[in-house]
Amino acid sequence: MRYHRIWAVLLAAAVSASLSACGKGSTESEENSTSAASEAETTALPTEADTTKPTASVPESPDSIKVYYGWGTEDEKYYAEIFCPEGAAFSEDTLETAEDDGSVMTASLTDEVKQYAVSSRMHWHRDAYNNEPTAYPIIAQLYFDGKLDDKTAADHTGCNQNVTPLGFTWNGYDVVLIETTYTFMDYGEQTELFAGVEYDLDYWKTEEGTGKVMDLTTKALFGFELNSLGDEALTQEQWAWVISALFGVETGMADPFAKESAAPPAAVAQSALVGEWIDRTSDWEDTYVFADDGTGSYTSGFEYAFTYEVEGDTLTVTYEEDDVDRFTVSVEDGVLILVDEFGYEQRFGKNETAEETTVPEESTPAEEAHPYVKAVLGTWKESETGIDETFRFDADGTGHYSCLVEDGLYECEFTYSFLRSDYIEMVYDDGTEGGFQIVIEGDTMTVRNEYAWDLAYTRQ
């Protein structure tokens, strides 16, 4: 249904939407690793920034990527095969670099359905940074030293780190989940998740002054920075499944993301609807009549003819001028249950004494007075949004609309009718249409549609 443009614009202004994004720029570990390697005069190894070249198209995503994680050495043992979990995809940069060089320094991938993103990372112990604790990340300082150096601690307070074994190994190393929390200056509490292994990293550097090449070993971490993309953080079980898939370790874990297949909705046969159904709890005893030829009527004060179709558990009711209602429908123990597109549920009992169902030739004229027509008559004003939006409903089915706009007062005329007892339709004098569901309690009328939810108007 087309809504009146003024109504749509004004009410849409009351609805706000937020977008959440996840991801980081270059990480501290990447920057510091580059710096440390330079200071230590390590073997010059290309970085992604040096090797990534623009390509005409993104390569087809492979099942795995070769990742190098041994700064300072070209030993083949520091190349690992990282697998893409089912449903995830490597980033374009990862694919392009892997195609050009055969391997990457950082493998990044995302799963939009399971709502996570990961990037492979390596963190060194401070020995590899010439004992400069400020040259490596918080995660490594806390993991290897258990505390931050004074300079780093000045900007980061409340630091804490939990290390949890995930119950499986990779290349003989225990895989752990490291959760690091801290407060960074004025930015509040931060949390970083890393999952991977601690291993011995062989490297070399030239002794200052003598030029002697020294073969050294230090502790290092290799694994993945983890980020949840949705509003809900992934559980430890879910992360364990992701990490085992990345490392290609068969753990026998069931996919914790898999949901039990919901039973398909019970299909409702059209024959189950045939008859007269009454909601005796409603103010006007709302009544549906379904004939076996696919026609019917709805009565709630006025009577409206319609045609209907049932597909699965969806009931589609089409009125004159192609106005449509859709419901989730079920029939349980002689009760017809309809749930509309707003989630409103209404229950109807079957009138077993009703005569053979008939369809009215014409809908009752809107001009005929009825209690719910009388209830809406008068002038209603909404002041919460600050535009003094006002509707006046007259007994002859016409009305007047006004609101404050930038240029002053906007006014127009309309005609109105009820699609059902709680839904009013309007056709404005410019030919556009509008409509909303109403609930009247005393001198308050609450309205809702796809643009507004529970907006209150007061009788004037």
Side-chain angles (χ1 to χ4, degrees):
M1 179 182 294
R2 292 175 295 127
Y3 289 91
H4 189 253
R5 62 170 177 266
I6 297 297
W7 174 255
V9 170
L10 294 177
L11 292 184
V15 180
S16 63
S18 62
L19 298 176
S20 59
C22 188
K24 300 179 180 179
S26 59
T27 64
E28 188 178 0
S29 59
E30 288 178 304
E31 295 168 357
N32 292 332
S33 295
T34 303
S35 174
S38 176
E39 293 175 2
E41 299 180 15
T42 57
T43 302
L45 295 172
T47 65
E48 284 185 289
D50 297 329
T51 58
T52 301
K53 301 175 182 178
T55 58
S57 60
V58 178
E60 183 178 354
S61 184
D63 294 331
S64 63
I65 292 287
K66 192 175 182 181
V67 177
Y68 172 74
Y69 64 99
W71 276 102
T73 177
E74 293 182 330
D75 197 317
E76 184 67 24
K77 68 181 180 180
Y78 295 119
Y79 285 90
E81 187 174 12
I82 300 303
F83 298 86
C84 188
E86 183 178 356
F90 287 109
S91 70
E92 293 184 8
D93 287 344
T94 298
L95 295 175
E96 291 171 353
T97 304
E99 184 179 55
D100 288 346
D101 302 337
S103 65
V104 298
M105 298 294 297
T106 299
S108 299
L109 54 84
T110 302
D111 190 317
E112 297 291 350
V113 175
K114 294 183 175 70
Q115 293 281 277
Y116 69 81
V118 303
S119 292
S120 63
R121 290 288 183 267
M122 179 181 66
H123 299 293
W124 290 1
H125 184 261
R126 75 167 62 187
D127 287 349
Y129 293 96
N130 293 326
N131 241 358
E132 291 291 337
T134 56
Y136 67 103
I138 290 177
I139 180 177
Q141 290 193 39
L142 290 178
Y143 182 82
F144 293 119
D145 300 334
K147 63 178 182 178
L148 302 183
D149 68 283
D150 293 340
K151 292 181 180 179
T152 306
D155 291 333
H156 302 80
T157 60
C159 297
N160 184 54
Q161 192 170 76
N162 292 319
V163 180
T164 305
L166 293 182
F168 57 92
T169 62
W170 174 74
N171 285 357
Y173 302 112
D174 291 330
V175 180
V176 298
L177 178 68
I178 304 173
E179 182 177 13
T180 307
T181 59
Y182 55 87
T183 300
F184 175 57
M185 299 178 67
D186 299 327
Y187 293 95
E189 186 174 88
Q190 309 292 311
T191 299
E192 294 182 8
L193 283 180
F194 178 90
V197 300
E198 177 188 311
Y199 66 104
D200 291 323
L201 172 66
D202 298 327
Y203 72 106
W204 63 267
K205 64 182 178 181
T206 304
E207 185 177 45
E208 187 176 352
T210 67
K212 179 182 177 181
V213 176
M214 299 181 293
D215 293 320
L216 303 170
T217 299
T218 189
K219 294 295 183 182
L221 291 170
F222 171 64
F224 302 89
E225 289 183 349
L226 314 175
N227 288 289
S228 296
L229 300 182
D231 295 331
E232 296 293 330
L234 267 64
T235 65
Q236 179 178 310
E237 182 184 19
Q238 290 171 328
W239 279 129
W241 183 89
V242 171
I243 300 308
S244 66
L246 289 165
F247 279 136
V249 176
E250 180 55 58
T251 63
M253 293 175 57
D255 183 353
F257 294 94
K259 298 179 181 178
E260 293 185 7
S261 298
V268 177
Q270 179 173 314
S271 59
L273 299 184
V274 173
E276 180 177 280
W277 303 85
I278 303 174
D279 177 9
R280 299 193 185 280
T281 66
S282 64
D283 293 338
W284 303 285
E285 294 194 348
D286 298 348
T287 302
Y288 278 96
V289 176
F290 297 97
D292 57 10
D293 63 354
T295 62
S297 67
Y298 172 70
T299 303
S300 184
F302 298 142
E303 189 173 2
Y304 302 91
F306 59 69
T307 59
Y308 72 97
E309 293 180 349
V310 183
E311 184 174 351
D313 68 339
T314 300
L315 168 65
T316 302
V317 177
T318 304
Y319 301 92
E320 296 176 351
E321 298 181 357
D322 294 327
D323 288 327
V324 176
D325 275 340
R326 289 184 178 85
F327 304 94
T328 300
V329 60
S330 60
V331 179
E332 301 175 7
D333 299 325
V335 176
L336 171 68
I337 304 172
L338 300 180
V339 181
D340 69 14
E341 294 171 290
F342 296 101
Y344 175 73
E345 179 182 292
Q346 195 169 9
R347 292 171 174 259
F348 301 81
K350 193 166 188 178
N351 182 5
E352 300 292 352
T353 62
E355 298 179 358
E356 183 178 350
T357 58
T358 58
V359 180
E361 294 182 0
E362 296 181 357
S363 298
T364 305
E367 290 78 8
E368 293 187 13
H370 195 273
Y372 67 77
V373 178
K374 294 179 181 178
V376 81
L377 296 181
T379 300
W380 303 85
K381 183 177 182 180
E382 188 280 320
S383 301
E384 182 179 347
T385 59
I387 61 174
D388 291 343
E389 191 168 43
T390 303
F391 287 90
R392 189 190 75 231
F393 298 95
D394 299 328
D396 62 356
T398 63
H400 180 82
Y401 172 81
S402 67
C403 69
L404 295 176
V405 295
E406 186 175 338
D407 298 332
L409 183 67
Y410 173 84
E411 297 181 276
C412 67
E413 308 297 323
F414 60 82
T415 58
Y416 71 95
S417 60
F418 282 84
L419 178 60
R420 57 177 190 260
S421 62
D422 65 342
Y423 195 92
I424 193 168
E425 292 186 298
M426 291 170 289
V427 178
Y428 295 86
D429 55 13
D430 63 358
T432 59
E433 300 176 7
F436 43 81
Q437 187 177 358
I438 65 170
V439 176
I440 298 177
E441 296 178 339
D443 289 332
T444 300
M445 177 175 70
T446 305
V447 308
R448 64 178 60 162
N449 62 15
E450 63 181 292
Y451 301 103
W453 192 261
D454 293 345
L455 199 60
Y457 292 75
T458 304
R459 189 189 299 276
Q460 300 300 297

